C-alpha cells in the first residue's frame, strides 16, 4: 500500500474566492474573469475570421502578459490576501502590477482606438457618434469593473490595480500605434505568403465595416448560387 501523501492545489486560472453570503462579491467574482473570457473570444474570432488585425491584437495581449510577469518578479510586492482565511498556494504570491487590470485595460484601450480610428458604422454622423460612444463607454466600464473587483475581492491593493490599469492603457496605446501605423502597411504582403494562403489569413484593414461587408458579400453569393441552382 502506497502511503505517500500529495499536496493538491486548484487551477488558479478560473479559481476565484469571495466571502460567503456576499452577493456583490459573487457578482464581482464572475466579472473578474472577464479578461479570460475575452481571450477566449478573441481566439475564437481568429479561428473564424483569420484577419491580421485580430491576430496582432492577440499578439499584443501576449506581450502585455509577458511584461506583467517580468514586472511582478522584479518588484516582488506581495498580494494583500495572504492570510489564514484564503486558500494557500492557489495564485502567484506577487501582485504588483495587477495582471487582470493590466490585461483588461490593454484590451479596452486597443478596442477603443480601433472603434475611433478604423470602424465605420453608419452614414449618419449622429448614429456614428452615438454608436462609437456607446462601444467606448462599455469598454471603459468593463475594464473599471474588473479593476474594482480585484480590490474588492482583496486580490490586489489599490496601488497594484492602478499600476496595472495604467500599464494596460500604455501597452494598448503603443501597440495600436505600432499595428495601425507600421505593421498594417505590410499586411497585404503577409497575406501573399504561402503559409498565409494555406491558413487563409486575411487583411481587412481597408474595410471599415467588416460586418456589413461580410453580410453583403455572403448575401449576394447566396443569391447567385440560388439562382444558378434554379436554372
Amino acid at each position: 500500500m502506497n502511503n505517500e501523501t500529495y499536496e493538491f492545489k486548484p487551477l488558479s486560472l478560473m479559481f476565484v474566492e469571495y466571502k460567503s453570503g456576499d452577493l456583490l462579491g459573487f457578482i464581482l467574482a464572475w466579472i473578474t474573469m472577464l479578461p479570460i473570457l475575452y481571450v477566449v473570444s478573441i481566439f475564437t474570432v481568429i479561428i473564424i475570421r483569420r484577419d491580421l488585425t485580430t491576430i496582432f491584437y492577440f499578439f499584443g495581449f501576449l506581450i502585455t502578459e509577458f511584461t506583467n510577469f517580468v514586472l511582478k518578479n522584479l518588484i516582488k510586492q506581495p498580494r494583500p490576501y495572504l492570510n489564514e482565511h484564503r486558500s494557500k498556494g492557489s495564485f502567484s504570491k506577487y501582485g504588483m502590477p495587477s495582471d487582470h487590470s493590466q490585461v483588461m485595460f490593454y484590451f479596452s484601450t486597443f478596442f477603443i482606438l480601433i472603434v475611433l480610428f478604423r470602424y465605420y458604422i453608419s452614414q449618419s454622423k449622429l448614429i456614428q457618434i452615438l454608436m462609437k460612444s456607446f462601444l467606448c463607454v462599455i469598454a471603459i466600464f468593463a475594464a473599471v469593473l474588473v479593476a474594482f473587483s480585484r480590490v474588492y475581492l482583496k486580490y490586489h491593493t489599490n496601488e497594484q490595480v492602478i499600476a496595472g490599469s495604467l500599464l494596460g492603457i500604455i501597452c494598448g496605446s503603443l501597440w495600436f500605434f505600432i499595428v495601425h501605423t507600421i505593421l498594417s502597411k505590410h499586411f497585404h504582403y503577409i497575406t501573399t505568403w504561402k503559409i498565409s494562403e494555406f491558413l487563409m489569413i486575411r487583411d481587412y484593414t481597408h474595410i471599415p465595416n467588416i460586418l456589413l461587408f461580410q453580410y453583403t458579400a455572403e448575401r449576394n453569393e447566396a443569391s447567385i448560387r440560388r439562382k444558378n441552382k434554379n436554372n
Side-chain angles (χ1 to χ4, degrees):
M1 190 74 177
N2 189 353
N3 294 323
E4 188 175 355
T5 58
Y6 301 93
E7 178 184 354
F8 288 85
K9 60 181 295 186
L11 181 64
S12 61
L13 183 65
M14 300 289 285
F15 186 85
V16 183
E17 292 180 312
Y18 63 95
K19 291 181 181 179
S20 178
D22 184 359
L23 178 59
L24 179 59
F26 172 76
I27 296 172
L28 291 175
W30 283 97
I31 290 175
T32 203
M33 293 189 290
L34 277 179
I36 300 170
L37 300 177
Y38 204 101
V39 170
V40 174
S41 300
I42 291 177
F43 193 75
T44 303
V45 171
I46 290 175
I47 297 299
I48 296 173
R49 286 176 50 182
R50 309 184 190 192
D51 69 290
L52 286 168
T53 298
T54 309
I55 292 172
F56 277 93
Y57 190 15
F58 186 79
F59 284 165
F61 154 71
L62 296 179
I63 294 171
T64 302
E65 273 286 275
F66 178 74
T67 302
N68 183 272
F69 174 81
V70 171
L71 289 174
K72 273 185 177 177
N73 286 276
L74 285 175
I75 300 173
K76 296 183 178 181
Q77 185 179 104
R79 294 175 182 266
Y81 73 83
L82 297 176
N83 60 60
E84 68 278 7
H85 302 296
R86 306 299 290 263
S87 297
K88 306 294 183 181
S90 301
F91 305 89
S92 63
K93 58 183 179 179
Y94 303 132
M96 174 62 89
S98 166
D99 184 17
H100 284 67
S101 301
Q102 183 174 336
V103 167
M104 198 62 196
F105 269 92
Y106 159 76
F107 282 140
S108 296
T109 302
F110 195 100
F111 174 80
I112 289 171
L113 293 174
I114 283 182
V115 169
L116 293 178
F117 293 102
R118 290 257 312 260
Y119 196 49
Y120 172 81
I121 301 173
S122 172
Q123 292 181 347
S124 169
K125 189 174 182 179
L126 178 60
I127 295 177
Q128 181 92 337
I129 294 173
L130 290 175
M131 286 299 297
K132 285 191 174 188
S133 299
F134 174 75
L135 292 172
C136 291
V137 168
I138 291 297
I140 294 171
F141 185 64
V144 171
L145 273 181
V146 169
F148 174 73
S149 72
R150 303 309 289 174
V151 176
Y152 185 89
L153 297 173
K154 300 189 185 303
Y155 286 112
H156 291 283
T157 63
N158 290 326
E159 293 77 14
Q160 292 170 353
V161 162
I162 292 172
S165 301
L166 292 176
L167 281 168
I169 293 172
I170 293 171
C171 288
S173 301
L174 287 177
W175 189 242
F176 176 82
F177 175 79
I178 292 171
V179 172
H180 184 63
T181 63
I182 301 175
L183 298 180
S184 63
K185 296 178 181 179
H186 307 284
F187 280 0
H188 175 70
Y189 173 68
I190 294 174
T191 58
T192 63
W193 296 350
K194 291 297 182 182
I195 184 65
S196 297
E197 292 177 349
F198 176 76
L199 296 174
M200 293 185 286
I201 302 298
R202 305 155 197 171
D203 173 23
Y204 292 143
T205 304
H206 303 291
I207 303 177
N209 191 335
I210 186 61
L211 291 178
L212 178 61
F213 171 78
Q214 288 182 328
Y215 170 76
T216 304
E218 291 169 7
R219 185 178 181 181
N220 291 339
E221 180 66 20
S223 178
I224 292 171
R225 289 179 179 271
R226 184 170 59 252
K227 290 178 181 178
N228 291 338
K229 184 178 180 180
N230 292 335
N231 293 334

